[in-house]
Amino acid sequence: MELNIMDMYSDILNVYGDIGNLTCINERCKWRGIEVNNKSFSIGSNEKLDFDNIDMILIGGGSDKGQSVVSEDLLKHRSELENYLNNGGVLLAICGSYQMFGNNYHDIDGENIQCLEMFDIETHAESNRLIGNILVENSIGLTPKTLVGFENHAGRTYHNYNPLGEVKVGHGNNDENKYEGMVYKNFIGTYLHGPFLPKNPHIADYIILNALKNKYEVEKLTSLDDTIEINAHNSMVNKLLNI
């Protein structure tokens, strides 16, 4: 089995080491004997965006300016990207790129930053940022139930899609309804940096399995010894719960 993974705009959107998500996916595939073909795409890239031959897309977070530049570039591929997602394509969008898939993003000056308008998501920024470590109980049935990460965003995001989880410690989408992120088919949007996947190997495996299911007749992944990873995860959980 093999997966074609597209790392998009990591030269622009890579706050708090979001590129580590790609490293995590690569390693967890390698340990299982799953071949990975890595591709990178950014502004001015020579790599062709052939969505029919992409199994997973990873996009990190960045500044408002970076988000605006990337959104404007991705608009050229909007219809193909929308078709990719509606047909079960796997995509992880972190922070600014999560906001970018919505209808509107208004910065702290009230200026509207160009968005892809692929999901009914509204985001507006406020002067006081939502910053700190965050603990979430995931809503997609994974074990462990907890997700950990680091958030730093001025944006308050609102939508009616299924959330990635419920905030137990921290702020999440908007610091009001206690929801974090969103899930639509195999699209995950989240504010969690860290990078996200090394801190939450069960989410990494969830993403890998969904990509494989969309390509092969696969029901589960080969188990790995995640003792070290889960101990590190649980250590942060306990710290945030003051245990």
Side-chain angles (χ1 to χ4, degrees), residues 6-241:
M6 179 65 77
D7 154 45
M8 300 189 77
Y9 304 102
S10 60
D11 57 331
I12 302 172
L13 303 177
N14 185 29
V15 172
Y16 303 115
D18 290 326
I19 192 64
N21 293 321
L22 176 63
T23 302
C24 179
I25 292 290
N26 282 340
E27 290 300 304
R28 296 186 72 79
C29 284
K30 182 179 73 174
W31 295 335
R32 293 182 166 99
I34 301 168
E35 183 178 348
V36 173
N37 302 310
N38 286 307
K39 304 179 180 181
S40 295
F41 183 86
S42 191
I43 295 171
S45 176
N46 292 323
E47 183 73 49
K48 185 177 184 295
L49 269 181
D50 180 8
F51 287 97
D52 290 335
N53 290 305
I54 298 173
D55 302 309
M56 182 189 304
I57 295 174
L58 303 176
I59 314 179
S63 66
D64 287 353
K65 180 179 180 181
Q67 177 184 337
S68 178
V69 169
V70 167
S71 182
E72 183 177 349
D73 191 63
L74 258 186
L75 277 172
K76 305 170 189 174
H77 311 282
R78 185 189 181 283
S79 60
E80 302 100 307
L81 183 56
E82 185 173 33
N83 185 62
Y84 169 83
L85 292 176
N86 285 330
N87 283 291
V90 173
L91 195 154
L92 174 65
I94 306 293
C95 198
S97 58
Y98 164 34
Q99 299 168 347
M100 181 177 68
F101 278 84
N103 289 330
N104 292 290
Y105 175 78
H106 292 95
D107 64 19
I108 58 175
D109 297 319
E111 296 294 326
N112 187 39
I113 292 177
Q114 178 71 62
C115 292
L116 296 173
E117 300 182 11
M118 292 180 61
F119 296 120
D120 190 12
I121 302 172
E122 301 290 331
T123 302
H124 68 264
E126 297 185 11
S127 57
N128 59 314
R129 302 183 66 86
L130 304 179
I131 304 175
N133 290 311
I134 179 171
L135 172 63
V136 177
E137 183 174 297
N138 80 77
S139 60
I140 50 181
L142 299 182
T143 302
K145 292 182 179 181
T146 48
L147 303 174
V148 295
F150 179 79
E151 59 181 333
N152 183 351
H153 52 104
R156 272 65 167 172
T157 296
Y158 302 85
H159 61 73
N160 291 317
Y161 297 95
N162 291 329
L164 176 59
E166 182 180 354
V167 178
K168 298 302 180 181
V169 178
H171 306 284
N173 284 335
N174 50 53
D175 205 28
E176 295 174 22
N177 59 24
K178 290 302 177 183
Y179 290 136
E180 205 294 310
M182 69 160 279
V183 178
Y184 171 82
K185 295 190 176 181
N186 288 331
F187 173 92
I188 293 179
T190 178
Y191 275 116
L192 273 63
H193 296 283
F196 178 47
L197 297 184
K199 287 189 172 184
N200 302 281
H202 47 313
I203 289 286
D205 284 355
Y206 172 82
I207 291 172
I208 293 169
L209 181 57
N210 283 341
L212 290 173
K213 282 182 174 180
N214 208 35
K215 191 173 187 178
Y216 304 101
E217 292 185 5
V218 178
E219 293 301 322
K220 62 180 181 179
L221 296 176
T222 303
S223 297
L224 298 175
D225 181 0
D226 283 333
T227 301
I228 294 174
E229 291 86 347
I230 295 302
N231 283 345
H233 174 94
N234 289 339
S235 176
M236 179 57 71
V237 172
N238 293 338
K239 179 179 179 179
L240 292 175
L241 292 177

